[in-house]
Amino acid sequence: MNDLLMVFEVLLAIYKDGAYSNLELNKRVNGASNQAIVTRLVYGVLQKDVQLEYYLAKLTAKRPPKTIAILLKLGMYTLTYINSIPRYAVVDSLVTICEKYGKRQLKGFVNSTLKNFDASQISLPNDRFEALSVDTSVPLLLVKAYCKQYGYDITKEFLSVDTFTKEHIRPNLRKQTLDELKSMLDAQNITYTQSIAGGLFVDNYAYIKSLNEKGLITYQSMTSMLAAQAMEVKDGEMILDICSAPGGKAVYMSELADVVITACDIHEHRLQLIRDYINRMGAVNITVQYNDGSAFNQEFVNKFDKTLCDVPCSGLGVVGKKADIYLTASMEKCQQLATLQYAILCNASKYTKKRIVYSTCTTLREENYNIVGRFVKENKDWQVVKSQQYLPDGKGQDGFFIAILDRKSL
């Protein structure tokens, strides 16, 4: 019961107080008797929120108070997806939690609702978009936007992929090659799969964590590496990483060539993340500097050969790693981000002589193709060399967008 109580209290903080799931979980999980099950339950409930909301509406004549709704979501998720906890134990524990939180008069309601709940007996909506929304637990507004952009079949395919649990790592190229890293893993009998970016997919063993702490490797997504590679940095170039935190792409570019990099962000705690990354990896020739990418900076005009614009975005392409993203997703938020993204890209073009790489970890064209398309239409001295939308594939590829823009020759 204590672990279920911990899960409930984490979910309460997320749903009611707007706490970040990873931070709230990390604060509490060390006190769990089974950390794995607590983690799975927290992220599972968040990932299945749309589906659980649908079940809740089918089971109740009117929506219960928020605390009870969260309790029922936890119960429905556990009963549907967790086989290791007996059904009676789930129901009894949640009824006890109900009483503990001062909802004694609703104990009978919680008890009967969960005892009567059976997900297999609840049919999906007749409308195919609504059915896909419930089945994949993706907000309906996003399902419709995706279907308009990609078509129903492709949307269903990428929304239905399983969550990928392996980590993607790369060697610190200042200290070892990819082949040398493979030899180290072979010596430990650790299996790996090489990605198209030149990194490795691995299970996150203690040995892998120790290599990361020593700065011999780093965790970096495949698509993040591809964005840095798209810059095609060359010795002697001046590089701007305009939205750099936590610094992975800047550090990687500093390993690919002898370049001078200015890594910027807007908040001090994010600037510190970049400094910590640089120190752990022993990177050189990177200056960390405060700069608001959306505000024009006269000092940066024509200063850089190339700029990486990995702009703030809705993060919908990495929702498998950030389970609470869907809780606040909206097209209004997307449009606000698009305004910010366009401002950053326009400013970057005034700072840059040769190339801009524009990237996001989202899957909506409003933040991707539309931004780049508008930019080249309004800035005739720039052209799109290549653009690609990556979709989650359940094999380690995140939802990610990369566009390479080059300044036209005079």
Side-chain angles (χ1 to χ4, degrees), residues 187-208:
Q188 298 290 324
N189 294 317
I190 294 175
T191 58
Y192 52 82
T193 304
Q194 184 168 332
S195 73
I196 60 173
L200 304 175
F201 291 113
V202 295
D203 289 314
N204 199 19
Y205 296 110
Y207 180 71
I208 299 296

Side-chain angles (χ1 to χ4, degrees), residues 124 127-138 142-162 326 391-394:
L124 292 173
D127 179 85
R128 68 172 184 162
F129 300 110
E130 292 178 6
L132 183 57
S133 171
V134 172
D135 191 43
T136 60
S137 206
V138 176
L142 291 177
V143 168
K144 290 182 175 179
Y146 286 145
C147 287
K148 183 178 179 181
Q149 181 174 339
Y150 299 108
Y152 181 85
D153 291 339
I154 291 176
T155 298
K156 182 177 181 180
E157 181 180 352
F158 82 80
L159 291 183
S160 302
V161 298
D162 293 331
Y326 284 150
L391 296 175
D393 64 357

Side-chain angles (χ1 to χ4, degrees), residues 83-142:
N83 297 321
S84 58
I85 307 176
R87 188 178 183 89
Y88 73 87
V90 174
V91 176
D92 289 350
S93 294
L94 296 184
V95 168
T96 302
I97 293 171
C98 177
E99 184 174 18
K100 174 181 172 65
Y101 272 78
K103 306 292 183 181
R104 180 175 299 181
Q105 71 278 15
L106 294 175
K107 281 174 57 181
F109 170 72
V110 170
N111 183 61
S112 61
T113 301
L114 292 177
K115 281 186 173 178
N116 293 331
F117 170 71
D118 182 352
S120 65
Q121 299 300 312
I122 300 177
S123 58
L124 292 173
N126 292 326
D127 179 85
R128 68 172 184 162
F129 300 110
E130 292 178 6
L132 183 57
S133 171
V134 172
D135 191 43
T136 60
S137 206
V138 176
L140 181 60
L141 65 95
L142 291 177

Side-chain angles (χ1 to χ4, degrees), residues 34-55:
N34 189 331
Q35 293 186 16
I37 199 70
V38 167
T39 301
R40 183 180 172 189
L41 284 170
V42 169
Y43 287 137
V45 171
L46 296 174
Q47 288 165 347
K48 295 295 183 181
D49 182 74
V50 172
Q51 187 179 87
L52 297 172
E53 280 284 346
Y54 179 74
Y55 292 160

